[in-house]
Amino acid sequence: MVSGGAREFSSSTRKEALRDADGQVFDVAVVGAGINGSATANLLATSGIRTVLLDRRDFAYGTSSRSSKMIHGGLRYLQQGGRVMEVRRLLRERDYWLSSSGDVVRMRFDLLLTEHGWNRHMLAFGLFLYSLLDGRFEVPRVKDNTGEYPEAVRGYFTYWDAVTHDARLVIGHVCSAWQMGATCLNYVDILSISGSGPYTVRIRDSLDGQVAEFTCTCLVNASGPWAGDVARMAGVGLPVSLTLSRGGMHLVLTCPGGTLRNAVAFRSAIDGRQLFMVPRGGNTVILGTTEVKVESPDDLECSREEEMYLMDSASAVFPWVRQCGVVARYTGIRPLIGSHSDPGRASRDSSIVVTGNVVHVLGGKLTDHRVTARRAARAVSGGITGKRVSGSGPDIVYRRPAVADPVDWDRRYECAIFPEDIYVRREGGWFFYDPTVHRELAGGDAAGGGGTCYS
Ligand SMILES: Cc1cc2nc3c(=O)[nH]c(=O)nc-3n(C[C@H](O)[C@H](O)[C@H](O)COP(=O)(O)OP(=O)(O)OC[C@H]3O[C@@H](n4cnc5c(N)ncnc54)[C@H](O)[C@@H]3O)c2cc1C
């Protein structure tokens, strides 16, 4: 069924797609529907490459719904020499998404100077460089705090970046890939991968146990922090070592007296680490973040100590933070190539590693996922499928219209299966996700979990 140009993408078309996948020959199977996998599948499908996109949970279940939700050049990376080109590319990508996605919006950031703050000359230099890399020539000036911030703030610099809803970007790519003819399946377990290109992939619908088997010339391993597991399943292993860095705790606060008009960054009085608060509409603000090395991609727990650290650091600058309620805590994991004792200083650049007919997509940022997806799709098309990737995409061609019943739309045109899928893909994200309530609504413990920290 077609409505407003969208092709139906619901639990029943999913069921048909799964049935149809059985015995099919695909060019590429993309494993993992985070931002990297979904954007790669979108580009491949747009280029006429027969593509299947698989996720064992919902689309955007992984890090791509648990980020800090900034589309930015990474001003902080300029402190770490040698990352100038990375920042330039990120800024270009930020501008691209600002002009082409309604889900990316400009946001003013104020860098607060406090007793524990940055060296203002270094900061001014960094901002100046940032403006040059952004194609502007702006000499940054400190603004006096004339009452807009609490007393602890001695002054501030201002600059502009952007924010987004990460899971919505993913859904945009998944729905675009679907419209371009890709088979997109959430909630499927991969039972086995055999062969060495072509591969035979056996999958099972985790909702009703239906099994399907298809072949594909090439695999794209876009399973983010789970890349090692998927590589092992494909029988190739990862040719690089990974450090898993839990990009830390984000606290979602609702503040009775209102929050901030702009995003702010400041240094913790406790250890000098850079923290941020980003307003998310109404009285809601996200405060983040910590960063810890972990051993397992499923280690999404965060501790009371981390929460106290964030609350103490923020309330030292903004005493009203003590009056805010913590409505949610969430955290995400990034795979970093190599071993890093200080993950905060490691490059966020993505790497494309090819072993046999498997293309592993590792790391990267939400902001420059288009670049990552292009590199992955070219690795596939150049040497493996023999089919060329076209255009400069991936572009999000799917547009969600304003509709009277958004929940019905999510179910019929965006293949949301469980109530928590809808929560996570909306502005609420993991914020308002309560596993107990939503499991009951879903009639079992079928999905999700893992998103919230301790309760
Ligand atoms: C805390 C944190 C904050 C961040 N903030 C920002 C930010 O503000 N701005 C920015 O630009 N970037 C940010 N990033 C980086 C960005 O979020 C990541 O680069 C991006 O989300 C990675 O996407 P991905 O597609 O590689 O992985 P993921 O989003 O993790 O996707 C992997 C997918 O693979 C699936 N999967 C795993 N195993 C299997 C399997 N066996 N079979 C099928 N599917 C499987 C998972 O369910 C998941 O959906 C942040 C990262 C972290 C950790």
Side-chain angles (χ1 to χ4, degrees):
M1 190 205 292
V2 172
S3 165
R7 181 181 158 211
E8 183 177 338
F9 184 27
S10 62
S11 57
S12 38
T13 61
R14 173 187 170 282
K15 198 81 218 131
E16 282 162 29
L18 208 122
R19 223 176 11 242
D20 291 349
D22 194 38
Q24 254 202 69
V25 178
F26 291 101
D27 295 313
V28 185
V30 180
V31 181
I35 195 72
N36 288 333
S38 61
T40 305
N42 182 13
L43 181 54
L44 292 170
T46 309
S47 310
I49 294 174
R50 288 166 302 173
T51 305
V52 55
L53 173 67
L54 307 168
D55 204 292
R56 64 177 174 173
R57 305 281 202 141
D58 188 25
F59 309 121
Y61 167 82
T63 312
S64 302
S65 57
R66 303 158 193 272
S67 78
S68 305
K69 307 181 197 307
M70 295 177 204
I71 297 293
H72 62 148
L75 173 64
R76 183 172 72 86
Y77 305 155
L78 289 178
Q79 291 169 338
Q80 301 156 15
R83 296 179 69 177
V84 169
M85 296 315 288
E86 187 180 340
V87 171
R88 186 152 173 253
R89 186 187 64 239
L90 288 165
L91 285 168
R92 231 179 11 232
E93 289 303 302
R94 179 203 65 189
D95 289 348
Y96 174 83
W97 288 112
L98 269 170
S99 63
S100 59
S101 167
D103 289 319
V104 178
V105 291
R106 253 161 73 87
M107 168 77 66
R108 184 178 125 180
F109 282 73
D110 288 349
L111 295 169
L112 308 182
L113 301 169
T114 62
E115 191 189 339
H116 307 279
W118 295 272
N119 173 320
R120 67 173 62 191
H121 301 295
M122 290 289 288
L123 199 55
F125 178 69
L127 280 166
F128 177 61
L129 187 54
Y130 201 66
S131 81
L132 290 183
L133 293 169
D134 204 7
R136 294 172 290 112
F137 182 93
E138 274 175 23
V139 180
R141 307 213 182 282
V142 179
K143 294 188 176 152
D144 292 330
N145 177 11
T146 51
E148 54 277 42
Y149 287 116
E151 264 171 40
V153 178
R154 295 169 172 180
Y156 60 94
F157 286 102
T158 287
Y159 72 105
W160 290 84
D161 258 328
V163 292
T164 190
H165 188 297
D166 44 10
R168 286 245 37 97
L169 278 184
V170 175
I171 297 302
H173 281 298
V174 173
C175 293
S176 300
W178 171 254
Q179 295 210 20
M180 290 297 164
T183 298
C184 302
L185 299 169
N186 47 359
Y187 295 108
V188 287
D189 293 320
I190 298 177
L191 299 178
S192 62
I193 302 173
S194 52
S196 50
Y199 298 94
T200 301
V201 182
R202 207 171 153 72
I203 55 173
R204 181 177 53 208
D205 186 341
S206 66
L207 308 181
D208 69 2
Q210 184 190 338
V211 172
E213 190 174 282
F214 60 82
T215 56
C216 58
T217 310
C218 169
L219 284 168
V220 174
N221 174 7
S223 55
W226 295 273
D229 298 344
V230 172
R232 268 188 297 282
M233 211 186 298
V236 290
L238 269 186
V240 290
S241 65
L242 290 184
T243 301
L244 296 180
S245 157
R246 184 153 61 65
M249 182 185 236
H250 295 80
L251 293 178
V252 185
L253 309 175
T254 54
C255 306
T259 61
L260 297 160
R261 296 233 309 272
N262 314 304
V264 295
F266 55 95
R267 278 191 148 170
S268 166
I270 299 169
D271 61 357
R273 188 183 157 77
Q274 179 173 321
L275 303 178
F276 60 81
M277 290 206 283
V278 179
R280 294 299 293 193
N283 284 350
T284 306
V285 67
I286 299 182
L287 163 63
T289 169
T290 51
E291 183 148 16
V292 200
K293 263 201 322 185
V294 291
E295 295 304 319
S296 159
D298 296 303
D299 185 356
L300 290 163
E301 298 290 312
C302 28
S303 64
R304 288 231 176 252
E305 288 71 37
E306 282 176 86
E307 177 168 338
M308 278 166 58
Y309 163 80
L310 287 177
M311 291 299 277
D312 289 346
S313 301
S315 58
V317 183
F318 297 98
W320 49 259
V321 162
R322 289 270 171 233
Q323 266 85 60
C324 303
V326 178
V327 288
R329 310 157 178 92
Y330 72 92
T331 178
I333 294 184
R334 51 167 66 89
L336 300 168
I337 297 200
S339 69
H340 300 276
S341 50
D342 180 3
R345 298 189 69 81
S347 167
R348 271 38 174 161
D349 256 354
S350 62
S351 289
I352 307 295
V353 183
V354 183
T355 46
N357 276 13
V358 185
V359 174
H360 307 276
V361 185
L362 302 165
K365 287 192 68 76
L366 204 61
T367 305
D368 64 347
H369 71 271
R370 194 172 63 122
V371 177
T372 304
R374 264 209 304 268
R375 289 172 62 210
R378 286 196 182 130
V380 170
S381 67
I384 308 176
T385 63
K387 295 185 178 174
R388 285 175 65 81
V389 164
S390 52
S392 63
D395 291 313
I396 298 180
V397 295
Y398 166 78
R399 295 275 177 265
R400 183 195 168 88
V403 285
D405 186 348
V407 171
D408 182 57
W409 183 273
D410 290 354
R411 290 172 52 241
R412 289 175 65 187
Y413 296 104
E414 296 185 0
C415 201
I417 306 289
F418 294 103
E420 57 256 56
D421 300 345
I422 294 173
Y423 278 84
V424 170
R425 296 162 177 203
R426 294 282 183 83
E427 180 49 40
W430 291 103
F431 305 176
F432 302 112
Y433 173 61
D434 175 337
T436 322
V437 172
H438 298 124
R439 224 164 265 155
E440 278 164 13
L441 278 171
D445 70 344
T452 47
C453 301
Y454 58 87
S455 49

